[in-house]
Amino acid sequence: MANSQEIPFEKNEVDEIVDDLLIEDSFNDLLISLTNFHFLYFSLNYSSDTYFSGRAIDVDQFNLTPQITYMNSKGFYASISSIIYSEFIPHWDVTNATVGYGKNVGKDKIFRFYGSLSGYLYSNNDVEGLYNGTANAGIGIQNKKRTLGTQISGSYYFGGESTFQIVSRSYASLKLLKTPKHSLKFRPQLSFITGTQLVDIGSLPLQKEALIKETQANDVNLTSNVYALIYTQLNFPLQYNYKSLDFEVGYNLNIPNALENETDLKNTGFFNIAIGYLIDL
């Protein structure tokens, strides 16, 4: 067994949080058709394997991410999510709380901007650990039919070692089935994850440091943060919607980019299954 991770809560590794939900999701047509709404969205995501920045961590385990999201027609939203690892002790690793604001603007509402603040509470922290968090901002554009889109987002992590991350994500949304009650979409996407990353000047691989630095901190010697392309991710999800029920199954491929002192990096992949339910308040 391994101890819980003391690493940033990376939204690209734990399923899509609220900003992704509001940009494009199975209920997009419904949300656009309403002018005044308050919704709760409950979701649970299963990932067949766990990776750190797209890299293998030599621990074979799945993870679960439950999430509750509130959103309204004014553009405000709030979300609480946790991540649970099958082999870490304790299994619950971190809880994330996010509050933010987002809006679709321009002709045909094809442009979107958003900003949010997130706080994290790790399993080995007390309440004082809540100072760990991120400031997030992003912009996006999609075509009128909402079949193609691109988003650029940035996150600044504060509270321990300050780091930042910039993600470029492009997607296509292909409708395979559309009826008044049912819809089926294939929504492939390509993401480039760049940011600052702690680099080891010794012989330990970066991904192993993330697991051992809590118990063997004296043996870990890190340089300053280095900004680089961390990894590229390809996602191939099928999304099915029946009324307010949302179901997704997909395959995800990580292509890590070698940083300083990293060698023999291999591509990693995992399957995900997600289920969600929307409640109109």
Side-chain angles (χ1 to χ4, degrees):
M1 298 293 183
N3 289 323
S4 61
Q5 298 182 97
E6 275 290 342
I7 57 178
F9 188 87
E10 297 189 57
K11 62 186 178 182
N12 294 290
E13 297 179 356
V14 297
D15 199 28
E16 298 171 270
I17 61 173
V18 63
D19 48 309
D20 299 311
L21 178 66
L22 292 174
I23 290 172
E24 224 292 334
D25 59 80
S26 299
F27 307 109
N28 190 53
D29 295 337
L30 175 62
L31 299 184
I32 292 173
S33 67
L34 299 177
T35 58
N36 187 20
F37 63 81
H38 298 267
F39 282 151
L40 279 180
Y41 184 73
F42 298 86
S43 65
L44 177 66
N45 184 76
Y46 161 84
S47 295
S48 62
D49 214 332
T50 301
Y51 302 104
F52 170 56
S53 294
R55 293 146 168 83
I57 58 175
D58 297 333
V59 178
D60 185 15
Q61 65 177 329
F62 66 85
N63 67 73
L64 295 171
T65 308
Q67 178 172 298
I68 301 175
T69 300
Y70 163 80
M71 62 188 111
N72 65 34
S73 55
K74 304 299 182 181
F76 293 99
Y77 57 87
S79 178
I80 297 178
S81 62
S82 295
I83 187 163
I84 300 166
Y85 296 103
S86 62
E87 302 302 320
F88 283 171
I89 298 177
H91 297 303
W92 166 69
D93 187 46
V94 62
T95 295
N96 163 261
T98 298
V99 293
Y101 177 82
K103 203 72 173 178
N104 289 83
V105 296
K107 186 178 180 181
D108 300 312
K109 305 295 184 181
I110 64 173
F111 298 97
R112 179 170 178 79
F113 70 89
Y114 71 91
S116 66
L117 288 174
S118 300
Y120 312 105
L121 181 62
Y122 290 91
S123 59
N124 61 345
N125 292 144
D126 53 25
V127 176
E128 294 180 358
L130 286 172
Y131 69 85
N132 293 291
T134 64
N136 312 290
I139 57 174
I141 184 173
Q142 56 188 348
N143 62 356
K144 293 181 181 180
K145 295 183 179 180
R146 291 174 170 77
T147 56
L148 296 171
T150 296
Q151 174 196 0
I152 297 177
S153 60
S155 300
Y156 175 73
Y157 297 82
F158 55 86
E161 187 75 27
S162 296
T163 61
F164 66 91
Q165 185 179 86
I166 298 175
V167 177
S168 172
R169 179 163 61 89
S170 299
Y171 65 86
S173 184
L174 309 176
K175 293 182 180 180
L176 306 179
L177 173 67
K178 181 66 175 179
T179 71
K181 294 183 179 181
H182 303 267
S183 70
L184 180 65
K185 295 180 182 178
F186 177 54
R187 193 173 180 271
Q189 65 181 34
L190 170 65
S191 302
F192 297 98
I193 297 90
T194 68
T196 53
Q197 191 75 308
L198 294 176
V199 176
D200 180 20
I201 64 174
S203 60
L204 291 175
L206 176 64
Q207 58 270 29
K208 289 185 179 179
E209 290 175 26
L211 292 177
I212 69 171
K213 69 177 182 179
E214 181 180 1
T215 57
Q216 298 178 356
N218 293 333
D219 296 331
V220 178
N221 188 13
L222 300 177
T223 66
S224 299
N225 285 333
V226 174
Y227 180 80
L229 172 65
I230 301 173
Y231 69 106
T232 302
Q233 187 175 77
L234 290 164
N235 309 97
F236 304 98
L238 276 175
Q239 299 175 337
Y240 171 73
N241 172 243
Y242 173 70
K243 294 184 178 179
S244 295
L245 182 65
D246 187 30
F247 181 78
E248 176 181 302
V249 58
Y251 178 74
N252 309 271
L253 175 66
N254 301 315
I255 306 172
N257 179 54
L259 303 176
E260 185 178 342
N261 292 324
E262 284 189 312
T263 58
D264 300 325
L265 284 180
K266 296 181 180 179
N267 296 344
T268 59
F270 64 96
F271 292 94
N272 77 282
I273 301 174
I275 187 169
Y277 190 77
L278 192 73
I279 297 177
D280 184 359
L281 301 177

